Amino acid sequence: MGKHTRTPRGHRRREAALDRKSPMTERLRAKAEQRLEDMPEPIKRAIGLGETVVGLMLIPLRFGLHLACDFLEVPAALLRVFSRRET
């Protein structure tokens, strides 16, 4: 069959591949948690603080992206209106 067709066999293969990745992800997560537990307390606090800072830094970025999307909706709507009138 063609490269772009979806066969049930191909779908099952993808599901199987996702199932195989899941245990690997769990092992990596467990290993990372174990390493974090073995670290001294000041390093744990620094990592937590770093995560908080990055999260706070991304808030303006997310707000700006939402604002830009809202701002671009108006010209897109105008283009749709004008293209419909011409046809």
Side-chain angles (χ1 to χ4, degrees):
M1 293 198 146
K3 184 175 158 181
H4 298 289
T5 60
R6 292 185 181 193
T7 62
R9 182 177 177 194
H11 183 67
R12 287 189 200 119
R13 283 184 183 171
R14 273 182 261 133
E15 286 178 355
L18 290 174
D19 290 339
R20 282 190 304 253
K21 289 181 184 177
S22 180
M24 175 69 87
T25 305
E26 292 300 320
R27 278 188 256 143
L28 290 173
R29 181 177 291 142
K31 189 174 183 178
E33 288 176 357
Q34 179 187 11
R35 286 183 178 175
L36 186 61
E37 288 174 5
D38 295 341
M39 289 183 178
E41 188 62 33
I43 294 176
K44 288 182 189 179
R45 278 187 271 148
I47 290 172
L49 182 63
E51 290 175 348
T52 303
V53 168
V54 169
L56 289 174
M57 288 173 53
L58 292 177
I59 289 174
L61 179 66
R62 290 179 60 201
F63 179 74
L65 286 174
H66 286 289
L67 188 63
C69 288
D70 290 344
F71 182 73
L72 292 175
E73 281 182 18
V74 174
L78 284 173
L79 287 174
R80 283 193 297 269
V81 167
F82 289 138
S83 67
R84 287 182 186 158
R85 285 189 176 183
E86 291 179 8
T87 59

